[in-house]
């Protein structure tokens, strides 16, 4: 039985095109100036090529020099021929009187930004803000808030990955350090206590000294602190009440009647803290006072106390002005390509996770600039901010109207992407009294630049 061969298809599949030192065969561009080597593999077989451009059998057009790009001819029935003068004829052999002269294939191309991001590395330090073991955890919101604000430090596992270990027990030294850091206590008040098992070179020495000077921690008989002992739930309740006694109105509210809490040294602290919802039970009637607390439980109890503080707080307009000034300075300095001032703005208005992500965006701009790609951003509309929650130490602001169009351009080719940054900004009061943004939740997490 004879086998028929489609000579046209066979020829197309094995067509050889030679342009200068480059040979095109099938899906490949090969350099024939020396030992034969593959330079590039295309999506489809190449039908035609010139010095700077190639077109495949799906009518995809490729620019072969930087900026690397590709585009699709409007009609799948069109054919393309490259002329010696650099111009292009696009025509259809199937439809009469359809022939066009194009000055440059650039008019048919899309700027491929991904070509310039392949070697962009996200800093490893950013991973400390996204520990994988808090995802889907019952205390995720509070854990993420503490991590983002640089209050809860992660621990590296054997593979070098940073984890929060939310279900791990927390020691007395660790909780004391967390509490002192959350309260932003930098110096002792009065005379600190001395403990036989706390040496000056211990990593927890200074937080313990500070906490003891404020009367937040006491110790045990024999002048011991027992820093590596797992902290008990009743100890945490007592430490929190002591730490916040001048800032929270304890003795109000309705306490939980824990049936197994005896009439002992921690009973009043547990009662007062439960009345305000700072501590809750393991069940409706049991508190488990002598049970070791986990890192998640410690964070949640401390978070609740921090957000019940009373005292002097800023005016709402002050917080709104901070957010607007931050955005205004970022936009103005980015437009002026003054990236030193962009960095200064980041340092002035941000901290924690938000500082790290802002620096990541700036590193990306620098990376693209080193590749010859210019970046610009345009606000589409008017930015609006409204304070949702405010206290002496923390504030939450809702941002709307934050839609930006980012444009990337190189050698006449460009691409743009519109990003909606509407969402919530979280601010904290820092040691020097200034307020800084430490976290950002966008309403549409899928619609972000990176």
């Amino acid at each position: 039985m004879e086998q028929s061969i489609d000579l046209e298809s066979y020829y197309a599949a094995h067509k050889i095109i030679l342009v200068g030192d480059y040979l095109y065969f099938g899906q490949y561009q090969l350099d024939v100036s020396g030992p034969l080597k593959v330079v590039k593999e295309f999506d489809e077989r190449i039908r035609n090529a010139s010095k700077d451009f190639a077109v495949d059998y799906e009518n995809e057009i490729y620019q072969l020099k930087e900026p690397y790009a590709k585009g699709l001819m409007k009609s799948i029935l069109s054919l393309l021929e490259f002329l010696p003068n650099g111009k292009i004829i696009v025509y259809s052999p199937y439809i009469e009187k359809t022939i066009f002269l194009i000055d440059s294939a650039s008019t048919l191309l899309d700027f491929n930004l991904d070509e310039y991001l392949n070697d962009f590395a996200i800093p490893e330090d950013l991973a400390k803000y996204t520990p994988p073991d808090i995802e889907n955890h019952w205390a995720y919101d509070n854990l993420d808030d503490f991590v983002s604000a640089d209050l809860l430090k992660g621990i590296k596992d054997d593979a070098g990955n940073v984890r929060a270990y939310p279900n791990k027990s927390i020691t007395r030294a660790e909780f004391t350090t967390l509490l002192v850091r959350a309260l932003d206590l930098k110096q002792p008040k009065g005379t600190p206590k001395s403990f036989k098992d706390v040496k000056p070179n211990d990593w927890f020495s200074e937080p313990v000294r500070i906490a003891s000077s404020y009367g937040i921690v006491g110790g045990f008989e024999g002048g011991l602190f027992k820093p590596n002992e797992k902290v008990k739930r009743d100890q945490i309740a007592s430490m929190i009440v002591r730490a916040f006694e001048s800032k929270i109105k304890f003795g109000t509210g309705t306490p939980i009647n824990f049936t197994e809490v005896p009439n002992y040294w921690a009973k009043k602290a547990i009662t007062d803290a439960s009345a305000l919802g700072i501590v809750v039970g393991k069940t409706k009637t049991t508190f488990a006072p002598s049970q070791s607390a986990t890192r998640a439980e410690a964070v949640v109890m401390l978070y609740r106390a921090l957000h019940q503080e009373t005292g002097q707080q800023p005016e709402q307009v002050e917080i709104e002005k901070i957010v607007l000034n931050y955005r205004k300075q970022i936009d103005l300095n980015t437009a002026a390509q003054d990236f030193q001032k962009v960095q200064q703005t980041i340092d002035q208005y941000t901290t924690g996770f938000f500082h790290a992500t802002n620096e990541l965006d700036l590193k990306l701009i620098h990376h693209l600039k080193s590749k010859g790609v210019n970046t610009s951003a345009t606000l589409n509309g008017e930015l609006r901010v409204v304070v949702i929650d405010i206290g002496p130490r923390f504030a939450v602001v809702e941002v709307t109207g934050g839609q930006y169009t980012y444009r990337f351009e190189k050698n006449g080719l460009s691409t743009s992407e519109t990003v909606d940054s509407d969402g919530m900004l979280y601010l904290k009061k820092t040691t020097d009294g200034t307020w800084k943004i430490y976290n950002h939740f966008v309403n549409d997490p899928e619609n972000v630049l990176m």
Side-chain angles (χ1 to χ4, degrees):
M1 180 177 179
E2 290 188 9
Q3 182 180 4
S4 61
I5 298 177
D6 185 342
L7 292 178
E8 183 177 355
S9 298
Y10 180 85
Y11 171 76
H14 298 81
K15 184 177 181 180
I16 294 176
I17 305 166
L18 182 63
V19 181
D21 292 332
Y22 295 101
L23 183 147
Y24 298 86
F25 181 75
Q27 293 174 237
Y28 301 97
Q29 180 193 46
L30 302 100
D31 187 344
V32 295
S33 62
L36 192 67
K37 66 178 180 179
V38 175
V39 177
K40 186 175 179 62
E41 181 178 357
F42 300 93
D43 298 335
E44 299 289 341
R45 292 175 291 111
I46 296 301
R47 181 170 67 187
N48 205 342
S50 70
K51 179 182 177 182
D52 298 325
F53 302 98
V55 61
D56 65 22
Y57 278 87
E58 294 295 328
N59 269 1
E60 287 275 9
I61 303 170
Y62 302 87
Q63 181 158 296
L64 305 174
K65 62 179 183 179
E66 289 198 41
Y68 304 113
K70 70 177 182 178
L72 184 65
M73 288 162 53
K74 291 183 179 179
S75 173
I76 196 67
L77 299 177
S78 297
L79 297 178
L80 177 150
E81 297 292 340
F82 300 102
L83 302 181
N85 63 0
K87 294 187 178 184
I88 300 166
I89 286 182
V90 178
Y91 65 95
S92 173
Y94 311 103
I95 305 173
E96 293 185 1
K97 299 179 181 180
T98 53
I99 183 168
F100 305 96
L101 183 63
I102 299 174
D103 289 335
S104 170
S106 297
T107 60
L108 305 173
L109 296 171
D110 298 317
F111 185 34
N112 186 9
L113 187 63
D114 290 341
E115 293 280 353
Y116 302 94
L117 298 177
N118 292 333
D119 59 344
F120 178 70
I122 295 178
E124 292 183 5
D125 189 55
L126 198 63
K128 71 181 182 181
Y129 291 110
T130 55
D133 55 347
I134 68 172
E135 291 291 335
N136 301 316
H137 195 277
W138 65 268
Y140 172 80
D141 288 344
N142 296 164
L143 288 165
D144 179 71
D145 187 86
F146 265 44
V147 169
S148 298
D150 283 334
L151 299 180
L152 180 66
K153 306 292 185 181
I155 303 170
K156 284 189 176 182
D157 61 18
D158 293 339
N161 301 312
V162 178
R163 296 181 177 275
Y165 291 104
N167 299 321
K168 182 180 178 181
S169 297
I170 186 168
T171 67
R172 286 173 51 81
E174 289 171 337
F175 183 71
T176 301
T177 301
L178 178 65
L179 181 56
V180 168
R181 189 184 298 136
L183 291 171
D184 202 22
L185 303 177
K186 302 297 184 183
Q187 299 293 333
K189 177 184 178 182
T191 304
K193 287 187 177 181
S194 295
F195 300 102
K196 294 178 181 178
D197 52 356
V198 178
K199 307 302 180 185
N201 59 343
D202 288 333
W203 65 266
F204 50 81
S205 172
E206 190 61 15
V208 171
R209 286 181 71 252
I210 292 173
S212 69
S213 74
Y214 278 83
I216 297 172
V217 297
F220 297 89
E221 291 183 2
L224 300 177
F225 182 71
K226 300 183 180 180
N228 298 317
E229 186 177 274
K230 295 175 182 178
V231 69
K232 305 296 191 294
R233 286 169 54 83
D234 58 1
Q235 293 172 353
I236 286 183
S238 298
M239 291 166 70
I240 286 177
V241 170
R242 293 190 203 114
F244 290 90
E245 62 184 354
S246 65
K247 300 167 184 167
I248 293 178
K249 295 179 181 179
F250 290 111
T252 60
T254 303
I256 300 173
N257 182 25
F258 295 120
T259 56
E260 79 330 358
V261 175
N263 189 19
Y264 74 132
W265 65 269
K267 183 176 179 64
K268 186 176 188 309
I270 295 171
T271 300
D272 288 347
S274 72
L276 296 177
I278 294 172
V279 302
V280 295
K282 286 290 188 177
T283 68
K284 290 183 178 180
T285 58
T286 61
F287 181 69
S290 60
Q291 188 176 110
S292 300
T294 65
R295 286 165 62 86
E297 289 174 334
V299 165
V300 170
M301 287 187 267
L302 185 50
Y303 177 92
R304 291 171 182 155
L306 285 167
H307 288 267
Q308 290 196 42
E309 278 187 296
T310 59
Q312 185 177 2
Q313 61 188 43
E315 296 291 333
Q316 292 190 13
V317 66
E318 179 185 344
I319 297 298
E320 292 169 355
K321 185 178 179 180
I322 289 170
V323 173
L324 289 172
N325 283 346
Y326 151 76
R327 194 64 254 183
K328 179 181 178 181
Q329 292 302 315
I330 290 289
D331 292 349
L332 286 174
N333 293 321
T334 300
Q337 301 288 289
D338 190 339
F339 298 117
Q340 183 176 357
K341 286 188 177 179
V342 171
Q343 181 65 64
Q344 291 172 355
T345 302
I346 292 171
D347 294 339
Q348 179 181 352
Y349 289 99
T350 72
T351 188
F353 177 58
F354 198 63
H355 186 277
T357 56
N358 270 252
E359 284 202 326
L360 177 64
D361 290 342
L362 186 56
K363 284 184 174 71
L364 174 62
I365 292 173
H366 282 306
H367 175 81
L368 292 174
K369 193 173 182 64
S370 72
K371 304 281 187 178
V373 180
N374 293 319
T375 306
S376 62
T378 303
L379 176 62
N380 306 321
E382 182 180 356
L383 198 67
R384 296 177 297 277
V385 298
V386 177
V387 172
I388 301 299
D389 188 29
I390 193 168
R393 202 182 299 271
F394 297 97
V396 183
V397 172
E398 183 179 24
V399 179
T400 57
Q403 187 185 79
Y404 284 83
T405 296
Y406 292 87
R407 183 177 177 83
F408 307 93
E409 184 272 334
K410 180 175 181 178
N411 295 342
L413 291 183
S414 66
T415 186
S416 61
E417 185 173 350
T418 298
V419 175
D420 189 348
S421 60
D422 287 1
M424 300 292 182
L425 287 176
Y426 295 77
L427 296 87
K428 59 179 277 192
K429 188 177 181 180
T430 61
T431 304
D432 63 5
T434 61
W435 286 76
K436 293 187 177 184
I437 308 164
Y438 70 89
N439 203 3
H440 182 204
F441 282 121
V442 293
N443 293 337
D444 184 6
E446 300 298 324
N447 184 21
V448 293
L449 186 57
M450 287 194 64

